[in-house]
Amino acid sequence: MWNRLKPDLKLRLTLRVAAISTLCFAAISAYFLVEADRSVHTRIDAIASLAARTLELQQNKIQWVNHPRAEFPDLDNVAASVMAPGLCLAFRAGNGDTVQRFCGGASGAAGHPPQVFATLYRKLFDPGREATHAVTVRGTTIGEAVTWIDPAVQTAEAWHDAGRLIAALAIVLPLLCALVYAALARALRPTRIIRDGLERMAADDLTARLPPFELAELSAIRDVFNHLAERLSTTLAERSELTRRLIVVQDEERRHLARELHDEFGQSLAAIRALAASAHQTAAQDCPALLPECDGISRTATGMMETLRGALFRLRPPDVDELGLVASLEGLVAGWNGRSRGQPRFECRFDGAFESLPAAVGAGLYRIVQEALTNAAKHAGATRVTLELTAREAAAHDDRTIALCIADDGRPGDTAVTTGMGLLGMRERVAALGGRLSFETGADRGATLHVVIPASVHPTVMERAA
């Protein structure tokens, strides 16, 4: 009933939490990388501005003291105060030539980033971009101060920062998933109780009820489940009572119809036969030519009497309590074989003692067999119908059961059989006797009816089944 190959709700929610957490870590890492790139460019821009002002002061000093041999540009002081690993500082003259340049060596602490990260980082952030500031003396631009970070060093530092976040993710994410899964397992533990309740209800146990739950959502499910089970139990009880009454009315109508046929139609047929016999005697003396017509009338009346006798037998079966269940069923099967002339062929087998069965059980089994044989003969298109009745002994006498099996080789899944009032009536009769019924159809041909009824029933049940 339950597909256990699919991941359960706890696993699905945990995977979603893991995916969201990974996206959050990725967003945080991207934010830190963007902020780090912006911070680097802000710093080198400030260094370039400082270098430009220093060079302007140097040039003004040279012109003020009129010392043309003074060294220009002199970036030693600036480089000494701001130099860092990978930082490059230079002065580019107006013609584009680099006159002076300082670069700090790379630090070995950052290590080498993976090639995939380095390629992606270079495409996204373009490390090594220059920051320039013009060097202007008395309104004339004589060059520019240039600052940049070695791309390899900047990429390695970015990987160093991102690597710490990735390490934190590798540690925190499994722990978070474990905690989320444990919390969900605890919170969703009542779903097992709900599933057990649904399985009990599917197995026709309408007494199943769910206990109170802590979660509001599960409490709402519990209220709806219990209300549905209560309504379903009431509805099925009302339907069973209605069906039982319909069965009682049907049996009463059968008895009334049988009585009317016997008293009215039977008497009329008997009178016709008597008149045909009298006409036969008169025709033998006065008009021999009428003898064939008289014989024909007599044969027709006799055939109608036989048909009426069979109809009366089906409408008002023999007293099972007097004849016994086995003899009554044998007579029923023999009657079907006589009427069907071997198409289909009805067979019966009995195993066990059935003499001490209560009258309600015997009458109920007879009606069930009668309805089942009628369905098999009229709707299944079978060539062979087999009836097996077995009395199953148990350790205690009160635990004895009667097993009935009726199988045919007709068309499988006939809707007239599986959905008709006949099967419904049989179900209600079996339920009234406290038993169970199952109807199975074969893959290619045939259908099988299984009925199991306790041999001893409560008196109130006997009254309902009567």
Side-chain angles (χ1 to χ4, degrees):
M1 180 178 180
W2 302 95
N3 192 344
R4 303 181 185 276
L5 298 179
K6 296 182 178 180
D8 59 6
L9 180 61
K10 301 185 294 295
L11 181 58
R12 290 192 176 191
L13 292 178
T14 302
L15 292 177
R16 291 186 180 183
V17 170
I20 294 174
S21 301
T22 303
L23 291 176
C24 291
F25 269 97
I28 293 172
S29 300
Y31 173 78
F32 275 107
L33 289 177
V34 170
E35 285 296 312
D37 182 74
R38 188 180 63 82
S39 175
V40 166
H41 283 84
T42 301
R43 182 165 63 91
I44 64 174
D45 187 71
I47 293 173
S49 177
L50 176 63
R53 289 197 303 269
T54 301
L55 292 175
E56 289 175 355
L57 289 174
Q58 290 178 6
Q59 188 65 31
N60 289 332
K61 184 178 180 180
I62 291 172
Q63 293 181 1
W64 180 64
V65 299
N66 195 16
H67 187 40
R69 292 185 179 181
E71 184 178 353
F72 180 86
D74 185 5
L75 296 174
D76 291 340
N77 294 332
V78 178
S81 61
V82 301
M83 192 55 62
L87 177 64
C88 293
L89 180 64
F91 174 74
R92 186 180 297 150
N95 57 5
D97 295 337
T98 301
V99 179
Q100 191 177 25
R101 175 179 175 179
F102 293 94
C103 283
S107 176
H112 296 285
Q115 185 63 35
V116 175
F117 177 83
T119 303
L120 181 63
Y121 185 81
R122 287 171 184 170
K123 288 182 178 180
L124 295 177
F125 296 100
D126 189 21
R129 297 196 306 272
E130 296 179 346
T132 61
H133 270 267
V135 179
T136 305
V137 178
R138 296 181 181 180
T140 304
T141 301
I142 63 173
E144 58 185 4
V146 184
T147 308
W148 70 93
I149 299 292
D150 185 11
V153 174
Q154 186 176 349
T155 304
E157 290 181 352
W159 168 250
H160 178 69
D161 295 336
R164 288 183 295 180
L165 291 174
I166 293 175
L169 175 63
I171 296 174
V172 172
L173 186 59
L175 180 61
L176 177 63
C177 291
L179 293 176
V180 169
Y181 189 86
L184 290 174
R186 181 178 178 83
L188 296 177
R189 190 176 301 167
T191 56
R192 298 181 181 177
I193 302 176
I194 296 175
R195 184 188 67 183
D196 294 339
L198 291 173
E199 289 179 346
R200 288 177 59 187
M201 184 179 291
D204 296 332
D205 182 6
L206 299 182
T207 61
R209 297 294 184 273
L210 296 181
F213 299 123
E214 296 180 358
L215 295 178
E217 294 81 2
L218 296 181
S219 295
I221 294 176
R222 174 249 183 190
D223 294 339
V224 174
F225 178 91
N226 290 345
H227 178 70
L228 177 62
E230 192 72 29
R231 289 288 302 274
L232 186 59
S233 178
T234 303
T235 302
L236 290 181
E238 293 175 352
R239 193 200 72 173
S240 298
E241 179 64 19
L242 177 60
T243 306
R244 186 187 68 82
R245 292 181 180 180
L246 289 176
I247 291 174
V248 172
V249 171
Q250 183 187 52
D251 291 343
E252 289 293 336
E253 187 65 24
R254 283 178 174 178
R255 284 192 289 268
H256 175 72
L257 181 60
R259 185 166 54 251
E260 291 293 328
L261 289 176
H262 180 271
D263 294 344
E264 300 295 335
F265 195 60
Q267 296 299 327
S268 298
L269 288 177
I272 292 173
R273 291 183 62 185
L275 290 175
S278 176
H280 184 276
Q281 293 179 358
T282 302
Q285 297 176 2
D286 300 335
C287 187
L290 295 178
L291 288 177
E293 284 78 2
C294 294
D295 293 337
I297 294 173
S298 179
R299 286 193 300 271
T300 302
T302 301
M304 293 179 67
M305 287 289 290
E306 291 296 329
T307 303
L308 177 62
R309 200 172 287 116
L312 292 176
F313 184 82
R314 291 191 297 274
L315 290 173
R316 188 175 59 190
D319 193 343
V320 178
D321 192 26
E322 293 182 2
L323 298 179
L325 179 61
V326 174
S328 298
L329 293 180
E330 287 177 343
L332 178 63
V333 171
W336 273 109
N337 281 326
R339 289 187 296 274
S340 65
R341 294 182 176 84
Q343 291 295 327
R345 175 67 182 174
F346 294 86
E347 300 176 0
C348 60
R349 291 190 291 271
F350 304 95
D351 184 11
F354 304 95
E355 291 79 9
S356 60
L357 289 179
V361 175
L365 282 172
Y366 184 89
R367 283 298 189 187
I368 293 170
V369 172
Q370 186 182 38
E371 188 66 46
L373 294 183
T374 301
N375 286 342
K378 292 184 177 181
H379 304 295
T383 60
R384 185 169 178 265
V385 181
T386 303
L387 182 153
E388 294 184 7
L389 191 65
T390 305
R392 298 176 179 175
E393 299 294 337
H397 180 73
D398 293 340
D399 295 336
R400 291 178 59 222
T401 58
I402 306 299
L404 171 66
C405 177
I406 299 177
D408 64 70
D409 58 355
R411 296 184 299 272
D414 191 280
T415 56
V417 178
T418 57
T419 62
M421 289 297 296
L423 184 59
L424 178 59
M426 286 188 285
R427 287 188 186 279
E428 294 303 328
R429 288 185 185 275
V430 172
L433 293 172
R436 58 185 184 273
L437 179 146
S438 63
F439 187 81
E440 303 173 355
T441 58
D444 298 326
R445 290 184 64 82
T448 305
L449 176 72
H450 294 281
V451 175
V452 178
I453 295 176
S456 300
V457 293
H458 194 270
T460 58
V461 177
M462 293 174 63
E463 293 177 1
R464 291 178 58 195

